Amino acid sequence: MERKALIEAVRTQMPERRWQHTEGVMQTSIVLARRFGAEPERAELAAILHDVAKFWPVERMREAIVEENRYTDVLAYDKELWHAHAGAYAAGRDYDVRDPEVLDAIRYHTSGRERMSLLERVVWLADLIEPGRNFPGVEQIRTLAEHDLRGALIEGFDTTIAYLLAKKKRIYPLTVLARNDLMTEGG
């Protein structure tokens, strides 16, 4: 699907405010991809589709995850994670995205995981720090993202985990594993 048609198709799947977020993630993904050596076109494609399933009914998300039958463990955790997995499935099924790394960048844009690819890292961070985001610590993460991808990711995961703990929410194991994996990398 051509970029313009894809954008129009995805835009209809969400309210205007979420589309503005998606545009911010698209722009931020391109900047981060160029800065850290990922492919901007692939980063933008993942960003366009990262929240395609965000406003689906919960049962539709569940059905997509069950139908794909590969990552059903996510169903035991917070429903906020489900849209990423359902979205990756929809990207392949409905929008003919075949690039496994783009699909994984969509799938793990909320949770992260161990051994994240460069593209996954760029999209995960772009989703967290796009210009419309406003939460305590976001400016520090943005500053780190100007020169230190790993450091920005660690700070981002720390902030995410602290938020989940403060809200007394269960933490998806991949999120902890992603953070710990980054901690064991050089530096």
Side-chain angles (χ1 to χ4, degrees), residues 113-168:
R113 68 171 176 162
E114 288 180 289
R115 296 178 295 285
M116 290 170 71
S117 70
L118 179 58
L119 182 63
E120 289 173 67
R121 291 172 185 219
V122 161
V123 174
W124 189 92
L125 187 58
D127 184 44
L128 187 70
I129 67 168
E130 62 91 3
R133 294 286 196 190
N134 183 18
F135 58 86
V138 71
E139 289 304 327
Q140 179 173 334
I141 300 168
R142 288 182 180 130
T143 299
L144 282 167
E146 292 175 11
H147 58 85
D148 181 4
L149 179 61
R150 178 179 163 268
L153 287 161
I154 291 169
E155 190 69 26
F157 277 107
D158 287 353
T159 299
T160 299
I161 291 168
Y163 172 82
L164 293 170
L165 289 171
K167 294 288 185 181
K168 304 258 188 249

Side-chain angles (χ1 to χ4, degrees), residues 95-107:
Y95 301 100
D96 202 33
V97 175
R98 297 289 169 242
D99 183 333
E101 198 171 342
V102 169
L103 295 172
D104 281 343
I106 297 166
R107 181 173 289 109

